[in-house]
Structures are given as structure tokens and as C-alpha cells.
Amino acid sequence: MKQLITLWQFSRPHTIIGSFCSITTLYLLSLQGQSLTAHIGLYGLTLLAALGCNVFIVGLNQWVDVELDKINKPYLPLAAGTLQKRTALVIIYTALAIALIAAALTGWRLLALIGVITIIGVLYSVPPVQLKKHHVPAAICISLVRGLLVNIGMLWHFTQLMYGPEAALPIATWPLTIFITAFSIAIAWFKDLPDTTGDAAFHIKTFPILYNKAVALRSGAAMVLAAYVYTLVWAWQHSVFLLVAHALLAALFVWHLFTVTVSDQTSIKKFYLRFWIFFFAEYMVFAVWAMS
């Protein structure tokens, strides 16, 4: 049980839950009224590939950043010493192998998509490139993967295999992609808010360090609110349910902003973790809509 808990912590649970929510929702959107189990094998292999790729990327990032995490995130298994680097490397490469094998079993589309995402993950974390050391490339990497590649790529993968090469993407493709892309940029900025001490010591030029925490918070909030406004306008023409749900989520997000104190490290950490709830909620709302 202790080993399972360590593995769960190493996989960064909020990212695993995010991947589960995204793949499940994209599958439901692609079904377009078919039975939930009509392509359950395709869903299972796709989810396995996505989760394996997720563990590989977050695991590799921790493996590279052990010394940095001892300052920023001392509770993580490698930084805390509850997981050895050699064991972590076995987990990382096993996860990658699972991702590639599962993707290959579905066809070349998902294999290519997982391959591209994997390469971006390596370039993001590993020296000498290490794109995460500069806030613009870091934000591009996160929004490209979480926003464009996952949403458009996975929907393309699902619809092509379900309906053939002439199949069109679901109507919700663009509003969901635009929303999550904007959200992912905010994630890229918000995730660095609690980590300025270690990032400064390791000369990582994050948004909060180059400017300040308040500017990073306001900029990320502006991106999220713009995403909500766009989605509300789209929902006005397509779904009362989506309109009401997004209005409520937007109001909750505004309230959430007023709960954070930039000068309080504990407050910032809680803000960032709760922010992921809005990420999960976006996919859950579209999942409910897809099944209605």
C-alpha cells in the first residue's frame, strides 16, 4: 500500500485526473449519440496511452528536478527520498512503453500524437533545451499539449476510427479547445506562483519572477475570464445547459480569485490546487452535455 501511495504521488494526481477527464469527455463527444460502450476497447487503449504518457512526462520532470523540488516541492517522492532515482527511472520508462504500445494497438494516429507529446515533454524538462526555464516557451508547451494536441488530436483520432476518413469533428471541438488552451496558459503561469524561491535559486525565468506574483495572477485570471466569456457566447447559441453551467463556473472562479492572498504562500498553493477543479469541471460539463 505504501508503494502504491508513493507511485500515486509520483504521478502527480491532479494531472492524472485531468487526463482521465479529458480523454473520457472527448470519447463521449465523439460518440455523438452512440451507446457508451460502442467503442469501449478504443476508449480503454486511448486512456491507457494518455495516462502512460502523463506519468512519463511528470515523472521525467521530477527526475530532472530533484534538487529544485527539495526547495519548491519537498513532499514529492524523489525530493523527500521515499523513491529512489533508479526506481523512478524504471517507472518512467515503463510508463512510456505502456503508452507507446497502447497507442500502436489503436493505429498510427494515436501513436504519432503520443510521440509528439512525448517529444515536447522531453524538450520541456531535459537540459540543454529545457524549455520550462523560460516562461513563454513553457506556456506554449503546456497550452499546445493540453489545449490543441489533446483536444483536436484525440477527437480526430476517435472520429476517424469510429466513422472513417470523411468524418467531421464534433461541434464542441473548437469551444472546448479554445477554452482549455486559454486555461492551460493560465496553468503555466499559476503553477509557478508557489515556486518562486526555488526557481529564483536555479535561475528559472518564470512569469512571477520576471514580473511579480500579482501580475502573473491578474494575467492568468484575465485569460480564464476571457475563455469563460467566449464559451458563454458560444453556449448562448447552442445549449442552455452549457450557458448556465459556465455562468456558474465563471462566478465561482471570480469568487475563488478573492480568496487568494499573493503574499501568503499557503494561500497561493491552495489557490493553484483548487484552480485545477475548474479544469476538471470544464470537461465534466461537456461530458454531461454529450450524454444528454
XYZ file of all heavy atoms in Angstrom, residues 29-93:
495
model
N -17.924 12.902 -26.510
C -18.270 13.839 -27.582
C -18.196 13.167 -28.944
O -19.018 13.433 -29.830
C -17.348 15.052 -27.540
C -17.536 16.037 -26.385
C -16.397 17.052 -26.354
C -18.873 16.758 -26.502
N -17.222 12.291 -29.108
C -17.044 11.619 -30.399
C -18.148 10.610 -30.682
O -18.470 10.345 -31.848
C -15.684 10.907 -30.438
O -14.622 11.827 -30.278
N -18.737 10.040 -29.648
C -19.791 9.039 -29.849
C -21.004 9.609 -30.582
O -21.666 8.901 -31.348
C -20.232 8.473 -28.488
C -19.271 7.506 -27.811
C -19.783 7.139 -26.429
C -19.062 6.251 -28.648
N -21.304 10.875 -30.312
C -22.410 11.571 -30.989
C -23.713 10.751 -30.959
O -24.344 10.516 -31.993
C -22.020 11.903 -32.427
C -20.787 12.802 -32.504
C -20.426 13.208 -33.909
O -21.287 13.560 -34.703
N -19.140 13.175 -34.231
N -24.060 10.308 -29.756
C -25.336 9.610 -29.594
C -25.258 8.097 -29.599
O -26.249 7.426 -29.294
N -24.119 7.527 -29.949
C -23.985 6.072 -29.907
C -23.973 5.571 -28.462
O -23.801 6.341 -27.517
C -22.686 5.633 -30.592
C -22.609 5.899 -32.072
C -21.352 5.280 -32.661
O -21.238 4.062 -32.794
N -20.390 6.120 -33.009
N -24.106 4.273 -28.293
C -24.020 3.666 -26.972
C -22.667 3.965 -26.333
O -21.638 4.020 -27.025
C -24.210 2.150 -27.090
O -23.832 1.498 -25.901
N -22.665 4.130 -25.025
C -21.429 4.450 -24.314
C -20.371 3.361 -24.482
O -19.174 3.641 -24.404
C -21.715 4.656 -22.823
C -22.619 5.829 -22.454
C -22.786 5.912 -20.939
C -22.056 7.142 -22.990
N -20.804 2.149 -24.724
C -19.860 1.029 -24.856
C -19.583 0.654 -26.311
O -18.948 -0.365 -26.568
C -20.406 -0.200 -24.109
O -21.687 -0.555 -24.653
C -20.542 0.083 -22.617
N -20.042 1.478 -27.243
C -19.916 1.137 -28.668
C -18.460 0.961 -29.090
O -18.145 0.141 -29.953
C -20.584 2.214 -29.517
N -17.556 1.743 -28.491
C -16.130 1.663 -28.842
C -15.308 1.619 -27.564
O -14.283 2.300 -27.459
C -15.736 2.866 -29.704
C -16.514 2.998 -30.973
N -16.169 2.337 -32.129
C -17.646 3.700 -31.259
C -17.033 2.635 -33.092
N -17.949 3.454 -32.582
N -15.755 0.809 -26.619
C -15.130 0.797 -25.292
C -13.673 0.337 -25.343
O -12.828 0.789 -24.564
C -15.950 -0.083 -24.315
C -15.550 0.200 -22.866
C -15.834 -1.549 -24.674
C -15.904 1.595 -22.401
N -13.333 -0.560 -26.263
C -11.952 -1.002 -26.398
C -11.050 0.130 -26.857
O -9.928 0.296 -26.351
N -11.531 0.899 -27.812
C -10.784 2.059 -28.299
C -10.579 3.067 -27.177
O -9.482 3.629 -27.010
C -11.548 2.710 -29.460
C -10.994 4.021 -30.015
C -9.586 3.814 -30.578
C -11.923 4.571 -31.087
N -11.625 3.290 -26.396
C -11.525 4.216 -25.255
C -10.486 3.722 -24.252
O -9.642 4.493 -23.780
C -12.891 4.349 -24.581
C -12.826 4.974 -23.202
C -12.547 6.325 -23.033
C -13.040 4.185 -22.060
C -12.475 6.887 -21.754
C -12.970 4.744 -20.797
C -12.693 6.091 -20.647
O -12.617 6.645 -19.391
N -10.531 2.437 -23.917
C -9.609 1.893 -22.928
C -8.150 2.014 -23.339
O -7.298 2.433 -22.537
N -7.851 1.679 -24.583
C -6.468 1.778 -25.065
C -6.006 3.236 -25.144
O -4.861 3.556 -24.815
C -6.344 1.120 -26.438
C -6.358 -0.400 -26.462
C -6.426 -0.924 -27.893
C -5.122 -0.966 -25.757
N -6.907 4.119 -25.559
C -6.562 5.536 -25.649
C -6.292 6.117 -24.269
O -5.330 6.859 -24.066
C -7.703 6.322 -26.328
O -7.956 5.775 -27.622
C -7.340 7.791 -26.472
N -7.134 5.766 -23.313
C -6.939 6.242 -21.942
C -5.628 5.708 -21.374
O -4.868 6.455 -20.731
C -8.114 5.802 -21.066
C -8.066 6.235 -19.599
C -8.070 7.755 -19.481
C -9.234 5.642 -18.824
N -5.341 4.441 -21.616
C -4.090 3.840 -21.123
C -2.881 4.548 -21.727
O -1.901 4.837 -21.026
C -4.070 2.352 -21.470
C -2.888 1.536 -20.932
C -2.857 1.566 -19.417
C -2.964 0.092 -21.436
N -2.939 4.843 -23.024
C -1.838 5.551 -23.681
C -1.658 6.944 -23.099
O -0.524 7.390 -22.854
C -2.105 5.636 -25.188
N -2.765 7.641 -22.876
C -2.704 9.002 -22.344
C -2.154 9.019 -20.923
O -1.305 9.865 -20.580
C -4.082 9.641 -22.384
N -2.615 8.094 -20.085
C -2.149 8.058 -18.696
C -0.668 7.657 -18.629
O 0.094 8.204 -17.829
C -3.005 7.095 -17.875
C -4.474 7.494 -17.685
C -5.206 6.449 -16.843
C -4.598 8.869 -17.048
N -0.267 6.705 -19.469
C 1.142 6.321 -19.512
C 2.028 7.478 -19.925
O 3.090 7.716 -19.322
N 1.595 8.204 -20.940
C 2.348 9.364 -21.398
C 2.411 10.431 -20.307
O 3.441 11.071 -20.095
C 1.690 9.926 -22.660
S 2.592 11.266 -23.443
N 1.299 10.600 -19.591
C 1.230 11.564 -18.499
C 2.264 11.232 -17.414
O 3.017 12.105 -16.968
C -0.184 11.550 -17.909
C -0.475 12.729 -17.010
O -1.495 13.394 -17.155
N 0.389 13.011 -16.055
N 2.298 9.972 -16.999
C 3.241 9.553 -15.960
C 4.678 9.730 -16.433
O 5.552 10.171 -15.666
C 2.980 8.088 -15.543
C 4.071 7.594 -14.596
C 1.611 7.965 -14.875
N 4.938 9.402 -17.693
C 6.288 9.582 -18.235
C 6.727 11.044 -18.142
O 7.833 11.342 -17.671
C 6.342 9.120 -19.694
C 7.626 9.520 -20.395
C 8.797 8.829 -20.161
C 7.650 10.613 -21.260
C 9.993 9.213 -20.788
C 8.830 10.997 -21.888
C 10.013 10.295 -21.646
N 5.868 11.964 -18.557
C 6.244 13.381 -18.614
C 6.438 13.968 -17.216
O 7.448 14.618 -16.935
C 5.201 14.178 -19.413
C 5.292 13.806 -20.902
C 5.410 15.684 -19.240
C 4.206 14.410 -21.754
N 5.470 13.737 -16.317
C 5.608 14.310 -14.973
C 6.723 13.619 -14.195
O 7.412 14.246 -13.374
C 4.279 14.259 -14.187
C 3.206 15.069 -14.888
C 3.804 12.828 -13.948
N 6.905 12.315 -14.459
C 7.985 11.594 -13.795
C 9.347 12.076 -14.242
O 10.256 12.275 -13.420
N 9.513 12.268 -15.543
C 10.774 12.768 -16.075
C 11.084 14.151 -15.512
O 12.237 14.452 -15.160
C 10.705 12.818 -17.600
C 11.963 13.306 -18.326
C 13.124 12.347 -18.098
C 11.696 13.458 -19.822
N 10.063 14.980 -15.423
C 10.248 16.327 -14.893
C 10.763 16.283 -13.446
O 11.668 17.032 -13.072
C 8.926 17.085 -14.960
C 9.084 18.545 -14.594
O 9.799 19.298 -15.244
N 8.410 18.951 -13.531
N 10.206 15.376 -12.646
C 10.661 15.238 -11.261
C 12.071 14.659 -11.193
O 12.873 15.049 -10.341
C 9.693 14.340 -10.481
C 8.335 14.952 -10.237
C 7.377 13.947 -9.629
O 7.484 13.585 -8.452
N 6.438 13.451 -10.432
N 12.363 13.715 -12.084
C 13.686 13.081 -12.082
C 14.782 14.110 -12.376
O 15.849 14.086 -11.771
C 13.704 11.965 -13.127
C 14.858 11.018 -12.990
C 14.934 9.920 -12.183
C 16.102 11.098 -13.685
N 16.148 9.303 -12.326
C 16.894 10.002 -13.252
C 16.634 11.969 -14.628
C 18.175 9.771 -13.723
C 17.920 11.742 -15.112
C 18.663 10.654 -14.661
N 14.496 15.024 -13.282
C 15.454 16.076 -13.629
C 15.554 17.108 -12.510
O 16.624 17.660 -12.240
C 15.044 16.758 -14.956
C 15.917 17.991 -15.230
C 15.149 15.772 -16.113
N 14.436 17.356 -11.831
C 14.321 18.488 -10.902
C 14.432 18.112 -9.429
O 13.887 18.827 -8.582
C 12.980 19.190 -11.116
C 13.033 20.179 -12.256
O 14.126 20.432 -12.772
O 11.967 20.692 -12.631
N 15.122 17.057 -9.097
C 15.178 16.624 -7.697
C 15.670 17.736 -6.775
O 15.042 18.042 -5.746
C 16.073 15.375 -7.535
C 16.209 15.024 -6.059
C 15.493 14.199 -8.289
N 16.770 18.366 -7.124
C 17.338 19.401 -6.255
C 16.425 20.625 -6.178
O 16.270 21.223 -5.107
C 18.733 19.804 -6.748
C 19.745 18.680 -6.704
C 19.871 18.072 -5.313
O 19.913 18.838 -4.326
O 19.921 16.826 -5.202
N 15.830 20.990 -7.289
C 14.889 22.111 -7.298
C 13.666 21.795 -6.443
O 13.181 22.642 -5.681
C 14.463 22.417 -8.737
C 13.378 23.475 -8.937
C 13.832 24.837 -8.425
C 12.997 23.568 -10.403
N 13.169 20.574 -6.549
C 11.980 20.190 -5.797
C 12.238 20.100 -4.299
O 11.294 20.179 -3.502
C 11.427 18.850 -6.309
C 10.713 18.991 -7.640
O 10.283 20.108 -7.966
O 10.590 17.985 -8.366
N 13.486 19.922 -3.905
C 13.797 19.927 -2.477
C 13.484 21.288 -1.854
O 13.254 21.381 -0.639
C 15.261 19.557 -2.250
C 15.565 18.080 -2.495
C 17.036 17.765 -2.279
C 17.292 16.274 -2.535
N 18.736 15.924 -2.375
N 13.458 22.322 -2.700
C 13.099 23.664 -2.236
C 11.612 23.929 -2.472
O 10.888 24.347 -1.569
C 13.930 24.736 -2.957
C 15.421 24.516 -2.719
C 13.518 26.144 -2.507
C 16.316 25.438 -3.530
N 11.170 23.669 -3.707
C 9.800 24.030 -4.087
C 8.748 23.021 -3.642
O 7.657 23.393 -3.209
C 9.703 24.202 -5.613
C 10.355 25.478 -6.096
O 10.575 26.413 -5.325
N 10.672 25.531 -7.378
N 9.065 21.731 -3.786
C 8.079 20.677 -3.501
C 8.755 19.531 -2.742
O 8.877 18.415 -3.263
C 7.472 20.162 -4.809
C 6.762 21.219 -5.652
C 6.233 20.610 -6.943
C 5.541 21.650 -7.801
N 6.499 22.618 -8.397
N 9.182 19.782 -1.526
C 9.919 18.757 -0.767
C 9.095 17.530 -0.414
O 9.649 16.513 0.027
C 10.340 19.515 0.508
C 9.352 20.637 0.640
C 9.017 21.040 -0.762
N 7.784 17.589 -0.619
C 6.903 16.468 -0.315
C 6.853 15.436 -1.439
O 6.342 14.330 -1.250
C 5.484 16.980 -0.043
C 4.957 17.887 -1.130
C 4.361 17.369 -2.271
C 5.088 19.267 -1.029
C 3.896 18.198 -3.289
C 4.623 20.107 -2.036
C 4.037 19.574 -3.155
O 3.595 20.393 -4.159
N 7.368 15.766 -2.633
C 7.344 14.812 -3.736
C 8.279 13.641 -3.430
O 9.302 13.816 -2.760
C 7.749 15.494 -5.037
C 6.757 16.526 -5.593
C 7.307 17.164 -6.861
C 5.401 15.878 -5.870
N 7.970 12.438 -3.920
C 8.713 11.237 -3.519
C 10.221 11.308 -3.734
O 10.988 10.913 -2.848
C 8.076 10.140 -4.387
C 6.686 10.612 -4.619
C 6.799 12.103 -4.760
N 10.670 11.785 -4.895
C 12.115 11.853 -5.138
C 12.790 12.875 -4.230
O 13.848 12.618 -3.667
C 12.388 12.186 -6.609
C 12.241 11.037 -7.604
C 12.377 11.541 -9.036
C 13.268 9.945 -7.330
N 12.167 14.026 -4.102
C 12.731 15.082 -3.251
C 12.729 14.669 -1.784
O 13.651 15.002 -1.036
C 11.947 16.380 -3.435
N 11.700 13.933 -1.380
C 11.582 13.506 0.015
C 12.424 12.269 0.322
O 12.613 11.907 1.484
C 10.119 13.221 0.347
N 12.911 11.599 -0.729
C 13.729 10.412 -0.536
C 12.944 9.129 -0.342
O 13.526 8.081 -0.027
N 11.643 9.170 -0.546
C 10.815 7.961 -0.407
C 10.817 7.123 -1.686
O 10.301 6.005 -1.691
C 9.369 8.328 -0.043
O 8.839 9.225 -1.033
C 9.306 9.006 1.320
N 11.385 7.671 -2.745
C 11.518 6.950 -4.015
C 12.925 7.181 -4.545
O 13.387 8.332 -4.623
C 10.479 7.461 -5.025
C 10.463 6.774 -6.397
C 10.023 5.317 -6.269
C 9.534 7.520 -7.351
N 13.608 6.101 -4.896
C 14.971 6.212 -5.400
C 14.969 6.571 -6.888
O 14.042 6.201 -7.624
C 15.716 4.887 -5.186
C 15.830 4.488 -3.728
C 16.551 5.531 -2.884
O 17.638 5.998 -3.248
N 15.949 5.901 -1.762
N 16.018 7.260 -7.333
C 16.075 7.709 -8.720
C 16.075 6.528 -9.694
O 15.473 6.624 -10.764
C 17.306 8.586 -8.956
C 17.249 9.944 -8.285
C 18.311 10.891 -8.810
C 17.943 11.422 -10.183
N 18.892 12.469 -10.660
N 16.740 5.430 -9.328
C 16.770 4.270 -10.223
C 15.369 3.679 -10.373
O 14.943 3.331 -11.473
C 17.733 3.215 -9.679
C 17.788 1.949 -10.535
C 18.793 0.951 -9.993
N 20.161 1.447 -10.117
C 21.245 0.750 -9.758
N 21.101 -0.463 -9.254
N 22.448 1.267 -9.894
N 14.642 3.580 -9.269
C 13.274 3.066 -9.312
C 12.386 3.993 -10.123
O 11.540 3.550 -10.909
C 12.707 2.913 -7.891
O 13.586 2.089 -7.115
C 11.320 2.300 -7.921
N 12.580 5.293 -9.911
C 11.790 6.281 -10.658
C 12.024 6.145 -12.149
O 11.090 6.254 -12.952
C 12.147 7.695 -10.201
N 13.270 5.866 -12.528
C 13.593 5.718 -13.947
C 12.900 4.502 -14.546
O 12.424 4.543 -15.688
C 15.111 5.611 -14.116
C 15.701 6.081 -15.453
C 15.330 7.524 -15.729
C 17.214 5.920 -15.447
N 12.804 3.431 -13.770
C 12.086 2.233 -14.227
C 10.609 2.564 -14.455
O 10.016 2.169 -15.468
C 12.226 1.089 -13.203
C 11.314 -0.086 -13.577
C 13.670 0.626 -13.117
N 10.027 3.303 -13.523
C 8.622 3.700 -13.651
C 8.424 4.579 -14.886
O 7.478 4.391 -15.659
C 8.154 4.462 -12.388
C 8.179 3.546 -11.170
C 6.741 5.033 -12.594
C 7.958 4.263 -9.847
N 9.322 5.509 -15.085
C 9.219 6.457 -16.204
C 9.240 5.723 -17.540
O 8.381 5.947 -18.406
C 10.370 7.486 -16.125
C 10.156 8.431 -14.936
C 10.476 8.281 -17.427
C 11.378 9.250 -14.585
N 10.207 4.840 -17.719
C 10.331 4.145 -18.998
C 9.260 3.078 -19.181
O 8.835 2.800 -20.313
C 11.735 3.550 -19.143
C 12.770 4.599 -19.472
C 13.834 4.850 -18.608
C 12.663 5.364 -20.628
C 14.779 5.827 -18.901
C 13.602 6.351 -20.934
C 14.649 6.571 -20.068
O 15.573 7.550 -20.361
